Structure formats: C-alpha cells, structure tokens
Amino acid sequence: MTDKMLDIRNLKVALPTERGTLNAVRGVDLSIAKGETLCLVGESGCGKSLTATALMGLLPRYAKVTADRFEMAGQDLTAKTDAKLAKMRGRDVAMIFQDPTSALNPTLTIGRQLTEGVMRAEKLSRKEADARAIEMLDRVGIANPAARLTQYPHGFSGGQRQRIMIASALMGRPKLLIADEPTTALDVTIQAQILALLGELQADLGLSLLLITHDLGVVAAIATEVAVMYAGRIAERAPVKDLFRAPQHPYTQGLLAAIPVPGLTPRGSALPAIPGRVPGLIGTMTGCAFRDRCALAGAECSQDPVPRHSPAPGRFVECYKAAEVAA
C-alpha cells in the first residue's frame, strides 16, 4: 500500500484556441502523502486551477490531458475513463470551489444540494442522507443545521455559503480534498475562520489537502509543503518553513520580497515588484519560462531541459542558477 494519496508525473493540459494550442499545464509533478497539506501557489494564470480541474476530470472534452503517471487514492488512472473518475468524485476526492455563490444553485434548497449526490452514489435513503447532511453542517459550524436544510443559498452569508461548500465536499467522506482558493471572496476575519476549520477537519478526518492559493499568508498558516507554480510548471517545492526561510528559485524570492513585513517594512514605502510579464503559453516554449524576468538569467537559461536540483530530501528547484540563489 502506498502512503501517497496523489501521485502524478508529467501532467499536461493543452487547449485549442484560434491562435494555436495553449499549453496551460506543461509537465507538472505533484504528490501528496496521507494527512499532508500541500499548497499550490502562484500568480493568477499560472495553471493552478486548471491543474486541480484536470485532477477532478472536469475539463471540457476538447482539452487534451495527458500524464505519465496518474494515481489517486491508490488507483492508477493513467488510462482513466469518465465513468471511473465520476465514481471516484465525492467518494475518494472532492473539490471546494472558490466562489460558493456561483457553485451553489440558487433555485435548490441546501438540503437537496447536499444530499443528491450521495443518494445516487451510495443508494442512501432520504432520511439517511439528511442525517449525514445535518452531521456535516454541524461539523462545519452551521448553527441549527436541521432547520437550515430547507433554506436556499441566498439566506446565508458569504462565510456560511463557503462552510456549506465544505460540507458538500465532505458528504462523500473523501480521502483527498482539493480547495481552490476557498477564501478569496471572504474578509480577513472569515478567511481565518475557514482556514482554521479546514485544519480542524483535516486533523479530525485524516484528510489529505491540496490547497490552491495566491496568498502566501494563507500558505504560512496551513501548509505542510509548498509547490510554487509558474507558467504551467512547478518551479520549486519545499517544506513550508524551508521555503520561507531560504527560497531557492528567483521567482519564489520575488514573491516573498513583495510581502510587507510588520515592523520592518516602512509605512508607505513601495514594495518590490517582479519586472516584466508572464510569457504567453501558446505554442512551444524552450528553457526557463522565468528567464526574461530574472536578474540572474544567462544564455544557458534558454536551453532545455532546465535542470532540477534537490538540495534536500523532499525538496527540488528547477533553475540553472539554483546554486547562485542558494548562496
């Protein structure tokens, strides 16, 4: 038995466009151990959400998804079928979407939206499904859960709707939970509550958690491991403390430098910004995608393959200049 809940190698997602093929995910390697929290972090448009959607099998049919290895919950899905993935969704892996307002159907009661899937998948009776829904709503902190089953999404606040989304994801008692920026639309206080809730649920239920975010503050609060994504690839992966203490990719350094430090960053001062723009991903790309924005880039950075260094067990960085950055 493997101790990995997720193990993928060389995941690629290509989307046809009028201008050519958009290679949005360009060979991603990801693994998550049982009970681990991996944060997938990077700026908007780097491929985080597409990676998660590909894992769930929810991309449109015109998207071309390939992988050398695709194992989830101990099952080999390299030659996956829609029916097999559909059977796993909810039971083995579930996803919390970033906008509960659009993810919840405004015309259906909360009770129906929570129970419909498990009644079909597990052949539960209405009474059994309602009992599980009440249990999950109570677990995520919704007061008087039995009475709330008959209410509609508009009767809940933004934070409550996000809690309902978490309850919905837990209805099938999954082993792996994917959370796609679950706190983006929430204020800071509610954001902290949702993060604390996810941590409690993980500890109580033994979940593995893939948390997608662009907020490094969220990463510091909840992550076990961090994978930094740029232009469709993982630039660096490390335990969270090691990443914050000693980032070894220039892109990671740029992200961390842009965070104000209380007591150290002068009030009103300009924060450092990463120069340049993210490269277009239509067509083929050679070398390091970050080279045009990197102060250390040299001629070798335009060549393939970009070397992968492993400075410590469980850590890697894809960069020609990793030794210089580390120094």
Side-chain angles (χ1 to χ4, degrees):
M1 284 290 290
T2 178
D3 63 347
K4 293 181 179 179
M5 282 304 305
L6 177 69
D7 191 9
I8 59 173
R9 293 290 181 272
N10 198 28
L11 175 69
K12 296 180 181 179
V13 177
L15 303 165
T17 73
E18 294 180 353
R19 296 169 53 202
T21 300
L22 174 64
N23 295 297
V25 179
R26 303 182 304 112
V28 162
D29 296 347
L30 276 182
S31 62
I32 305 176
K34 293 179 180 178
E36 181 181 70
T37 298
L38 173 66
C39 278
L40 186 59
V41 64
E43 58 195 305
S44 297
C46 70
K48 305 185 302 296
S49 293
L50 266 178
T51 298
T53 311
L55 297 180
M56 293 292 294
L58 296 176
L59 287 174
R61 290 188 178 276
Y62 59 77
K64 183 180 179 181
V65 181
T66 61
D68 294 342
R69 181 187 300 168
F70 191 162
E71 295 181 1
M72 187 183 297
Q75 298 188 48
D76 184 1
L77 299 175
T78 307
K80 58 187 180 299
T81 64
D82 290 343
K84 191 171 183 179
L85 270 174
K87 190 174 181 179
M88 292 185 69
R89 281 196 293 267
R91 184 195 65 191
D92 294 303
V93 57
M95 188 167 178
I96 304 167
F97 297 94
Q98 60 181 286
D99 184 6
T101 302
S102 59
L104 292 170
N105 189 327
T107 68
L108 299 178
T109 64
I110 294 301
R112 180 171 176 184
Q113 295 185 65
L114 288 175
T115 60
E116 191 171 41
V118 293
M119 288 179 67
R120 180 178 300 174
E122 300 183 29
K123 310 301 182 186
L124 298 183
S125 67
R126 166 61 63 185
K127 183 177 181 180
E128 291 170 328
D130 282 349
R132 186 179 297 184
I134 292 168
E135 175 192 348
M136 293 306 168
L137 288 176
D138 181 63
R139 187 179 284 274
V140 300
I142 297 294
N144 195 14
R148 310 307 288 270
L149 291 183
T150 59
Q151 295 184 326
Y152 291 84
H154 68 263
F156 297 84
S157 68
Q160 288 175 321
R161 285 195 288 266
Q162 193 58 277
R163 289 172 184 268
I164 291 168
M165 284 300 302
I166 296 172
S168 178
L170 295 175
M171 283 292 291
R173 296 171 176 164
K175 305 175 185 72
L176 172 64
L177 188 61
I178 300 173
D180 185 7
E181 305 212 35
T183 61
T184 296
L186 306 175
D187 63 47
V188 175
T189 302
I190 304 301
Q191 181 182 97
Q193 293 175 4
I194 295 298
L195 291 176
L197 173 62
L198 287 173
E200 292 169 7
L201 290 170
Q202 184 185 26
D204 292 346
L205 303 176
L207 294 169
S208 298
L209 178 62
L210 173 59
L211 179 64
I212 297 169
T213 183
H214 62 269
D215 187 338
L216 288 169
V218 170
V219 172
I222 197 169
T224 308
E225 299 266 334
V226 187
V228 180
M229 195 167 187
Y230 183 78
R233 283 189 67 82
I234 304 299
E236 181 173 5
R237 174 168 175 157
V240 62
K241 292 182 180 179
D242 294 342
L243 187 96
F244 277 83
R245 182 172 57 244
Q248 296 194 7
H249 195 285
Y251 177 58
T252 311
Q253 286 189 327
L255 291 178
L256 292 173
I259 302 174
V261 180
L264 294 178
T265 305
R267 184 181 295 273
S269 64
L271 294 172
I274 300 174
R277 301 173 59 184
V278 178
L281 298 179
I282 291 179
T284 58
M285 178 184 295
T286 59
C288 175
F290 189 65
R291 65 181 183 272
D292 291 338
R293 307 175 73 186
C294 179
L296 298 175
E300 69 273 28
C301 297
S302 62
Q303 300 173 7
D304 277 337
V306 179
R308 175 176 288 191
H309 303 276
S310 298
R315 182 170 194 178
F316 72 79
V317 55
E318 285 192 351
C319 182
Y320 276 98
K321 303 294 185 177
E324 294 178 45
V325 175

